[in-house]
Each structure stands twice: as C-alpha cells, then as structure tokens.
Amino acid sequence: QVQLVESGGGLVQPGGSLTLSCAASGSSFSSYAMSWYRQAPGKERELVATMISTSGSTNYADSVKGRFTIARDNAKNTVYLQMNNLKPEDTGVYYCKATMMIPPWRAYWGRGTQVTVAS
C-alpha cells in the first residue's frame, strides 16, 4: 500500500522551469516503478516519464525528451520531475504513479498537481 501526494505545480512562463515532487507514505516505494503522467483538458492521460529503481532505467515521452528529468530519492520516499523549457502544451494535471514491479502489478495514483504554462 502506497499513498502519493504531488506538489510543486503552478503557473510558469513559457521557457521557464518547475520541479514537481511526489511524496510517498506507507510501503517503501523503492519496490515500485515510479512514473509521472499528465492530462490536459479534453485529452487522454499520457505517460510522461518512468524510472525503474531495480535497473535505474528511465523512459520519457518524445514530447518531453531532453527537457524533463525524472529522479527519485528512496531515503526520502520522494520522486521528482524536473521540467525545463516549458511550453504551453505542457499544461495539464500531473499525476504521480507507483506500480509494483512484480505481479499483480498493482498501481497507486496521487491526486495530481496543476501545471499551467502561459504568458
């Protein structure tokens, strides 16, 4: 069982930066793959970035590759999303997700934090 709380969202100018945090409580999320998703109004939720702790591997959506970085601090039970060179199309609600790395692949979601990129 994992509880996730996102923070760090807000309004930022195009080209600016934000760092989102996802604080976990309950079970240690070192046993979970951690991901960030986002959902813009009227659009489907999309995977932004994933980090698998057992391998250290990361994956990014093509739309954010080179601009966003996912990182985790297991000692602090926190995962981060560093977002640079933000664009208006990055606007949306960003969600943290923890997924078990073994079957039954149970997933836990945070409630989301709003990111708005606008002038």
Side-chain angles (χ1 to χ4, degrees), residues 1-106:
Q1 184 72 26
V2 175
Q3 295 80 47
L4 305 171
V5 180
E6 303 96 334
S7 62
L11 175 64
V12 64
Q13 298 286 315
S17 299
L18 281 176
T19 298
L20 305 182
S21 298
C22 174
S25 62
S27 300
S28 174
F29 75 177
S30 62
S31 301
Y32 294 79
M34 301 300 298
S35 300
W36 286 96
Y37 286 73
R38 68 185 180 190
Q39 187 168 22
K43 298 183 179 180
E44 292 190 9
R45 190 171 299 183
E46 64 174 338
L47 177 63
V48 175
T50 296
M51 174 172 282
I52 302 173
S53 62
T54 53
S55 65
S57 65
T58 58
N59 288 291
Y60 297 92
D62 288 342
S63 60
V64 308
K65 199 168 297 181
R67 299 188 297 119
F68 290 13
T69 302
I70 186 172
R72 64 194 293 169
D73 187 334
N74 288 334
K76 296 181 178 179
N77 286 341
T78 301
V79 63
Y80 306 92
L81 184 67
Q82 174 65 50
M83 306 184 293
N84 298 320
N85 191 25
L86 284 161
K87 304 175 180 180
E89 51 263 44
D90 294 318
T91 294
V93 178
Y94 283 69
Y95 298 91
C96 181
K97 179 186 179 183
T99 305
M100 296 174 64
M101 292 186 287
I102 59 173
W105 313 105
R106 188 166 296 153

